[in-house]
Amino acid sequence: MSAALPGGWRSTWSAAGELLTIDMRDLPGTGVVVAERVRVGPVLFDLGARKRRLTVVVRLAHRQVPTPTLSLRLPSPGPGLVEVDGVTLQGSEVRFSFSGQHEVVAYY
C-alpha cells in the first residue's frame, strides 16, 4: 500500500514486515513541510521537515498502533552524518522502531 505525502514524498506500508517507508529523496530545495494525522496503511503519524542548505531536520510522532519499523530515505546526495534521537548513524537510509516522538537530523 502506498500514499503520497506533502512535498512530493512517497510512503509505502508493507504488512509482511510491518515496515513503513518514507521516501524523501525528491525533497525540493529549502523550506518547511508539515503534515498532521497522516495515515499509511494502519499507521497514523505526524510529520514535519525543514530543509536548509546543509541540514534536513525531520520530526515524527507516532499516533496509533501498530509499532512499525520506519525506513526513512533521505535526499541525495547522501548525508555525511545522521542523528536519530541523538544516536549517530551513517547512510542515506535509516531504520528504527517507530513509536513515540523522534527527531532525525541529516548533515550534508
Side-chain angles (χ1 to χ4, degrees), residues 20-49:
L20 173 64
T21 301
I22 299 175
D23 189 341
M24 300 177 59
R25 290 179 292 188
D26 294 329
L27 187 65
T30 60
V32 176
V33 175
V34 175
E36 295 181 343
R37 303 192 64 80
V38 176
R39 179 174 298 280
V40 180
V43 182
L44 184 66
F45 60 96
D46 298 339
L47 177 139

Side-chain angles (χ1 to χ4, degrees), residues 46 59-63 85 96-103:
D46 298 339
R59 290 187 178 91
L60 300 146
H62 180 257
R63 292 186 160 270
D85 300 329
F96 54 93
S97 180
F98 185 30
S99 75
Q101 297 183 357
H102 300 280
E103 181 176 76

Side-chain angles (χ1 to χ4, degrees), residues 3-89:
L5 296 174
W9 311 343
R10 299 291 306 158
S11 60
T12 57
W13 167 252
S14 170
E18 291 195 340
L19 177 68
L20 173 64
T21 301
I22 299 175
D23 189 341
M24 300 177 59
R25 290 179 292 188
D26 294 329
L27 187 65
T30 60
V32 176
V33 175
V34 175
E36 295 181 343
R37 303 192 64 80
V38 176
R39 179 174 298 280
V40 180
V43 182
L44 184 66
F45 60 96
D46 298 339
L47 177 139
R50 182 183 72 231
K51 184 176 181 187
R52 294 192 176 156
R53 193 171 61 87
L54 298 175
T55 59
V56 173
V57 178
V58 181
R59 290 187 178 91
L60 300 146
H62 180 257
R63 292 186 160 270
Q64 182 177 320
V65 294
T67 302
T69 297
L70 176 67
S71 174
L72 186 63
R73 295 178 180 160
L74 298 164
S76 298
L81 183 71
V82 180
E83 290 181 351
V84 177
D85 300 329
V87 176
T88 302
L89 304 171

